[in-house]
Amino acid sequence: MADQDTLHRRGLMFILSSPSGAGKTTISRMLLEADDEICLSVSATTRPKRPGEIDGVHYHFVDDPEFDRMIEEDDFYEWAPVFGYRYGTPKGHIRAGLKEGQDFLFDIDWQGTQQLYQKDEQDVARVFILPPSLDELHRRLQNRGTDSKDVIDGRMERARAEISHWDGYDYVVVNDDVQVCFEKVRAILQAERMKRARQTGLIGFVRELMA
Ligand code: 5GP
């Protein structure tokens, strides 16, 4: 007998955006560890690798000609310039995965979010993470220790611009405490999975229920 957990459902594109340093990467990591029904959509970028980053895991690191080629071959769902580099979501196996019930986590900015939403509104759930304050954001960026002062200043400026797009999201969570923020984001994911339109196995289930 089918139960709620075995009913077939369509996967979703779960988008997490925030200014750099607001905790999106940490929350993404926690979500991927805690939940094996969701996997990361690995973006391609022309930005150089940071210490500790692994090609194919954090990003597909490509050079400019390779990125141009991917655009020409229509390999991207969406792409956007960010901080002077280009970032894009390769289509790859996403469409097929969604049909099979695979969820994908997207760590992308507001431009990419808008593009994905325009292309595929019904499969998208958009979550925006806000820092508790700009001072705290600055402190977190400095503590990360991976970027120069100029880069941090650029990111702070960019953060203000990014935050101004908070109203293009379905959910907004303030990351005061990372654990609490994670629980909230996880609850959003669970709820989104239960949306009637995503539960493609419901018709058969209810028919059987009523027979
Ligand atoms: P970072 O260089 O710190 O990893 O990322 C910089 C920004 O690029 C972040 O705001 C991140 O969300 C955004 N980003 C990463 N991948 C993509 C992508 O595939 N598409 C878009 N539009 N933005 C992305």
Side-chain angles (χ1 to χ4, degrees):
M1 175 85 182
D3 64 23
Q4 191 73 5
D5 287 339
T6 59
L7 283 188
H8 190 266
R9 64 174 180 84
R10 198 173 155 74
L12 64 107
M13 302 202 264
F14 195 67
I15 303 181
L16 278 186
S17 297
S18 78
S20 336
K24 172 185 53 173
T25 308
T26 307
I27 302 290
S28 299
R29 204 180 310 126
M30 291 169 87
L31 207 55
L32 291 166
E33 263 166 34
D35 190 315
D36 34 270
E37 284 176 57
I38 193 161
C39 67
L40 185 69
S41 160
V42 181
S43 298
T45 183
T46 57
R47 142 166 104 59
K49 223 189 276 181
R50 292 202 192 109
E53 285 183 331
I54 301 165
D55 189 29
V57 174
H58 299 96
Y59 284 104
H60 299 290
F61 294 96
V62 300
D63 57 14
D64 272 307
E66 174 71 1
F67 204 94
D68 288 338
R69 190 195 57 75
M70 292 177 82
I71 294 172
E72 262 165 44
E73 292 184 359
D74 198 26
D75 281 351
F76 289 122
Y77 238 127
E78 61 76 33
W79 70 270
V82 186
F83 309 131
Y85 297 109
R86 291 181 293 173
Y87 294 78
T89 304
K91 280 186 199 155
H93 52 290
I94 289 177
R95 277 206 184 277
L98 290 175
K99 212 171 155 196
E100 298 294 316
Q102 173 70 54
D103 300 321
F104 292 94
L105 177 65
F106 289 80
D107 173 347
I108 59 177
D109 76 339
W110 68 273
Q111 306 172 84
T113 303
Q114 225 171 42
Q115 290 183 56
L116 277 190
Y117 187 74
Q118 278 162 6
K119 278 194 187 150
D120 199 357
E121 178 181 333
Q122 77 277 8
D123 288 327
V124 165
R126 300 163 298 176
V127 183
F128 195 78
I129 299 174
L130 280 175
S133 69
L134 285 184
D135 282 350
E136 174 62 19
L137 188 70
H138 192 248
R139 204 181 57 76
R140 288 182 193 172
L141 283 177
Q142 274 179 329
N143 286 352
R144 203 155 70 170
T146 50
D147 297 314
S148 66
K149 184 180 178 303
D150 280 356
V151 171
I152 291 177
D153 288 349
R155 282 176 190 270
M156 282 307 289
E157 207 169 294
R158 174 93 192 175
R160 290 173 183 276
E162 185 80 21
I163 288 170
S164 71
H165 295 283
W166 66 277
D167 57 352
Y169 288 77
D170 305 302
Y171 303 90
V172 179
V173 184
V174 177
N175 183 11
D176 223 334
D177 176 294
V178 78
Q179 190 61 34
V180 174
C181 180
F182 164 65
E183 308 278 346
K184 287 178 180 170
V185 171
R186 195 172 186 193
I188 296 167
L189 174 61
Q190 301 288 23
E192 282 286 330
R193 284 174 173 157
M194 293 303 108
K195 275 201 166 164
R196 179 166 50 78
R198 295 216 163 94
Q199 298 201 67
T200 44
L202 265 184
I203 293 177
F205 175 70
V206 174
R207 195 178 288 144
E208 228 179 84
L209 202 65
M210 304 298 268

